[in-house]
Amino acid sequence: MVRGNSLVHCGLILLSLWLCIQSVPINVDRSKEKPPVQELEPPQSAETGLHYDRYLREVIEFLEKDPHFKEKLKNANMDDIKQGKLAKELNFVQHNFRTKLDELKREEMNRLRMLIKVKHDIQGGSGRTVDHQSLLKQFEHLSHQNPNTFEVEDLDQLIQSATKDLENFDKDRHDEFKNYELTKEHERRERLKTMSEETRQQEEKHYEQLRKKHADHAKVNHPGSETQLKEVWQESDGMDPDNFDPKTFFKMHDTNGDSFFDESELEALFTKELEKVYNPENEEDDMVEMEEERLRMREHVMNEVSRTHRQI
């Protein structure tokens, strides 16, 4: 069981919207039930990096509290979520949760109005032509036709926007890393030009030695594989490798006891693999490269979970 967040990691919030639901469905007799009033609290899920991050996470966390939506989300596949089928289940969410979602939307509308006013004033005050299309893009994650109520269209637009924006967000991070690598190599070559022939040869020899040293490390397991988990079970947990039990492993590594693998718990497993390859004290190991590998691992696990769920 994995509670994924994306982004940042991850890292998509769309996957977390689906992955976080693993509890047993609850039968609810709405005619007798008076649901308790839910207090608005700071969202607990990991930040996404999007400008509407808090709104996105608060909406998801309130929807997770509704028994009907929780059950539908548990049984939904990614295609249903992306195509808007899940959003229609908002019509069956309890009234007190709908009221809180309305409140969240009104707060988000007010925040965006203030944000756009500030950006409009800055652009106008600088003498530049105000880019109205760019400003309106700030509203793409919600339906502004009904500014006071959270409707099916709002949930659908939120899902579609988060999916698109976070995919682009991860792509941007990968592009940043590529630029980092290119810049690093360019700077290395420029330094070589300033050296004498003898010094340059020594530097090239040292560079090759560092590359070989970095490549000489313990075998890295496939992220999220049984082999990786068994290695943690044996080497970190000190358990008998012949008695590996997935349920016991999960309980041991569900450090906060919430019956989910959250981002920090999942990344703790990634870190054990990354530590085989990267050490901040070693000259040959690049910590920026390590973070890129962490992102790739997270994406791989999320994609594997999504693929497996589609097959089911």
Side-chain angles (χ1 to χ4, degrees):
M1 289 182 286
V2 177
R3 183 167 186 167
N5 299 284
S6 159
L7 246 113
V8 178
H9 16 329
C10 129
L12 297 174
I13 198 70
L14 181 59
L15 280 169
S16 74
L17 186 102
W18 158 58
L19 292 169
C20 60
I21 303 303
Q22 296 292 340
S23 58
V24 178
I26 303 173
N27 292 323
V28 179
D29 185 346
R30 297 178 188 278
S31 63
K32 298 179 182 179
E33 183 191 44
K34 287 187 177 180
V37 176
Q38 296 290 321
E39 295 296 327
L40 281 170
E41 298 177 351
Q44 300 300 312
S45 55
E47 294 185 10
T48 63
L50 303 177
H51 79 86
Y52 51 94
D53 168 80
R54 185 182 179 90
Y55 173 68
L56 172 62
R57 291 185 292 137
E58 286 181 330
V59 166
I60 289 172
E61 290 179 20
F62 266 102
L63 288 172
E64 289 174 10
K65 295 176 183 178
D66 180 80
H68 172 82
F69 197 88
K70 178 186 290 188
E71 183 175 349
K72 291 297 182 181
L73 183 54
K74 179 175 180 248
N75 296 315
N77 59 44
M78 291 304 295
D79 290 335
D80 288 342
I81 295 174
K82 289 182 178 180
Q83 293 171 9
K85 295 179 182 178
L86 183 65
K88 295 178 181 177
E89 298 298 331
L90 183 69
N91 290 321
F92 304 99
V93 169
Q94 293 175 4
H95 175 71
N96 64 318
F97 292 119
R98 289 296 298 272
T99 300
K100 289 299 181 182
L101 291 170
D102 292 345
E103 181 180 337
L104 289 175
K105 181 177 178 179
R106 288 194 292 271
E107 290 177 356
E108 178 68 357
M109 290 292 292
N110 289 335
R111 183 189 73 84
L112 290 174
R113 289 191 185 105
M114 183 177 298
L115 176 66
I116 287 178
K117 182 180 185 304
V118 170
K119 289 187 174 182
H120 186 279
D121 291 345
I122 291 174
Q123 289 181 6
S126 64
R128 292 179 296 170
T129 302
V130 177
D131 186 351
H132 293 285
Q133 288 299 114
S134 176
L135 294 178
L136 289 175
K137 284 183 178 295
Q138 305 289 332
F139 281 90
E140 287 185 345
H141 62 284
L142 47 70
S143 173
H144 57 275
Q145 294 180 343
N146 299 299
N148 296 314
T149 58
F150 188 94
E151 307 294 343
V152 170
E153 293 77 13
D154 288 286
L155 182 54
D156 188 33
Q157 285 184 224
L158 185 58
I159 290 172
Q160 300 300 329
S161 294
T163 303
K164 174 176 63 70
D165 292 344
L166 281 165
E167 285 175 348
N168 291 336
F169 184 76
D170 281 344
K171 179 180 179 300
D172 290 343
R173 289 187 63 186
H174 288 308
D175 289 343
E176 285 177 8
F177 177 71
K178 289 178 183 177
N179 289 332
Y180 166 78
E181 284 191 312
L182 290 171
T183 301
K184 184 172 71 171
E185 178 61 17
H186 173 72
E187 291 176 350
R188 188 184 75 85
R189 291 179 180 276
E190 289 299 308
R191 284 197 303 272
L192 289 175
K193 292 179 181 179
T194 65
M195 300 175 183
S196 66
E197 181 64 24
E198 181 181 355
T199 305
R200 183 163 55 250
Q201 290 179 1
Q202 292 175 348
E203 181 68 19
E204 288 283 29
K205 182 179 179 179
H206 179 63
Y207 177 72
E208 287 302 317
Q209 288 174 340
L210 291 179
R211 288 183 59 183
K212 289 179 180 179
K213 188 177 178 182
H214 174 70
D216 183 19
H217 55 71
K219 179 183 177 182
V220 177
N221 294 310
H222 198 63
S225 66
E226 184 177 354
T227 304
Q228 180 196 1
L229 302 186
K230 283 184 175 180
E231 185 175 291
V232 174
W233 170 271
Q234 178 181 1
E235 297 184 4
S236 298
D237 301 334
M239 304 294 284
D240 185 346
D242 296 327
N243 293 322
F244 177 72
D245 180 62
K247 290 184 178 180
T248 303
F249 180 90
F250 174 79
K251 290 180 181 178
M252 292 172 64
H253 291 271
D254 176 25
T255 54
N256 60 7
D258 66 352
S259 298
F260 300 103
F261 265 172
D262 61 25
E263 183 178 1
S264 62
E265 293 160 346
L266 186 62
E267 288 206 0
L269 300 180
F270 295 158
T271 299
K272 295 179 187 300
E273 294 301 307
L274 292 168
E275 286 176 350
K276 297 177 182 179
V277 186
Y278 300 95
N279 184 334
E281 296 181 1
N282 294 340
E283 181 185 358
E284 69 274 11
D285 298 335
D286 187 332
M287 295 299 105
V288 176
E289 182 180 297
M290 184 186 75
E291 291 307 315
E292 172 69 7
E293 288 301 319
R294 191 192 305 276
L295 174 60
R296 290 174 181 172
M297 283 184 172
R298 190 161 55 232
E299 288 178 337
H300 173 78
V301 171
M302 293 297 112
N303 289 334
E304 284 294 301
V305 172
S306 178
R307 181 182 61 81
T308 302
H309 190 269
R310 286 198 298 270
Q311 291 175 347
I312 295 174

